[in-house]
């Protein structure tokens, strides 16, 4: 890898840059503001950087010491461009920490250290929002979307089951049923008949299936 010429880089090589990979490119429509949206921002940025084959620049798998000569210079160029991509997705108050940073990995680690430590606080607020979410003047679709968005962020912040094996199945089923009950609890009295119908179904339906039944 270290001896490969710059002109021979394949499109999936971490140092390869497309014509569209310009400084200031906005990869995601989310701006990092602080701990309240760090989990969502970092998840979206990871997906975008993986799609660009540049995730290694922030997770430590692609560093300048791996390359020599023109490839080392290309690595510096990629690092500068990724720093600018990160800068395009944060609020102005966070820009100085990016402008004066030595590499994208350092910025990524600093943001995680600063904002991820507030993870438990964010989990608390997410649980509070989910528990208090009710179908009022919103449509069922809007209510369902709000709930799934909150649950998706919660899933990013909380530990995952390492496998879908038999030992994990009871816990996975319990989580799915929790989500189903939370969705049903937020419905108003107009849906009491539907609620009873969903609860009596066997096998137990998923929250997605319950939403389809309600709509």
């Amino acid at each position: 890898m270290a001896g490969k010429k710059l002109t021979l880089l394949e499109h999936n090589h971490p140092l390869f840059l497309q014509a569209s990979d310009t400084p200031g490119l906005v990869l995601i429509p989310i701006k990092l503001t602080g701990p309240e949206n760090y989990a969502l921002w970092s998840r979206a940025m990871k997906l975008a950087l993986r799609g660009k084959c540049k995730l290694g620049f922030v997770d430590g798998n692609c560093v300048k010491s791996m390359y020599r000569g023109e490839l080392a210079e290309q690595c510096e160029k990629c690092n500068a461009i990724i720093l600018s991509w990160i800068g395009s997705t944060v609020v102005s108050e966070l820009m100085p920490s990016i402008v004066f940073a030595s590499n994208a990995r350092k910025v990524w680690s600093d943001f995680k250290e600063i904002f991820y430590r507030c993870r438990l606080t964010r989990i608390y607020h997410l649980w509070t929002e989910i528990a208090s979410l009710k179908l009022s003047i919103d449509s069922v679709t809007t209510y369902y979307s709000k709930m799934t968005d909150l649950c998706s962020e919660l899933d990013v912040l909380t530990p995952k089951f390492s496998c879908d094996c038999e030992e994990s199945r009871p816990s996975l089923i319990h989580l799915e049923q929790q989500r189903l009950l939370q969705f049903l609890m937020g419905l108003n009295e107009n849906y009491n008949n539907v609620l009873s119908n969903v609860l009596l179904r066997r096998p137990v339906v998923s929250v997605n299936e319950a939403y389809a039944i309600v709509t």
Side-chain angles (χ1 to χ4, degrees):
M1 180 184 292
K4 185 179 288 187
K5 293 297 183 182
L6 186 61
T7 54
L8 299 179
L9 292 179
E10 298 177 353
H11 73 280
N12 60 348
H13 192 283
L15 300 187
F16 179 80
L17 290 172
Q18 304 179 52
S20 59
D21 292 335
T22 56
L25 179 67
V26 180
L27 295 184
I28 59 173
I30 303 167
K31 276 196 178 291
L32 174 63
T33 57
E36 66 279 354
N37 74 335
Y38 169 75
L40 182 64
W41 174 86
S42 62
R43 174 65 175 166
M45 279 298 291
K46 281 182 180 179
L47 291 173
L49 290 171
R50 186 182 294 278
K52 291 284 189 180
C53 297
K54 299 293 183 288
L55 185 60
F57 283 88
V58 299
D59 67 12
N61 288 323
C62 184
V63 294
K64 185 180 178 181
S65 60
M66 297 168 58
Y67 307 102
R68 298 189 300 271
E70 63 179 1
L71 290 184
E73 179 58 32
Q74 180 71 1
C75 187
E76 287 279 20
K77 181 179 180 180
C78 289
N79 177 71
I81 288 176
I82 293 166
L83 278 171
S84 74
W85 289 350
I86 295 174
S88 298
T89 60
V90 303
V91 292
S92 58
E93 292 82 358
L94 297 174
M95 275 301 295
S97 61
I98 297 173
V99 173
F100 296 110
S102 57
N103 57 67
R105 170 64 176 166
K106 179 67 165 59
V107 170
W108 192 266
S109 298
D110 286 348
F111 282 169
K112 183 175 182 179
E113 182 179 357
I114 295 168
F115 300 129
Y116 193 72
R117 67 174 55 184
C118 301
R119 182 177 64 92
L120 193 58
T121 301
R122 183 56 183 161
I123 290 174
Y124 169 79
H125 286 298
L126 286 170
W127 271 115
T128 302
E129 289 184 66
I130 293 171
S132 61
L133 193 61
K134 301 290 182 182
L135 174 62
S136 53
I137 60 173
D138 293 331
S139 66
V140 175
T141 298
T142 301
Y143 162 68
Y144 169 79
S145 297
K146 286 180 180 178
M147 179 182 164
T148 52
D149 287 346
L150 292 169
C151 289
S152 294
E153 184 178 350
L154 186 63
D155 287 341
V156 172
L157 290 170
T158 51
K160 303 292 187 302
F161 298 101
S162 57
C163 66
D164 191 19
C165 56
E166 280 302 314
E167 291 78 7
S168 298
R169 286 305 299 164
S171 297
L172 289 168
I173 292 172
H174 177 66
L175 177 60
E176 291 170 0
Q177 291 180 351
Q178 275 189 318
R179 297 282 164 84
L180 170 65
L181 294 175
Q182 188 63 55
F183 171 72
L184 296 176
M185 286 167 61
L187 298 176
N188 58 39
E189 61 276 5
N190 295 330
Y191 293 91
N192 284 345
N193 289 337
V194 180
L195 187 150
S196 298
N197 177 276
V198 170
L199 288 174
L200 290 173
R201 292 205 175 197
R202 293 295 181 273
V204 178
V205 302
S206 68
V207 67
N208 294 336
E209 292 170 325
Y211 164 68
I213 294 169
V214 170
T215 54

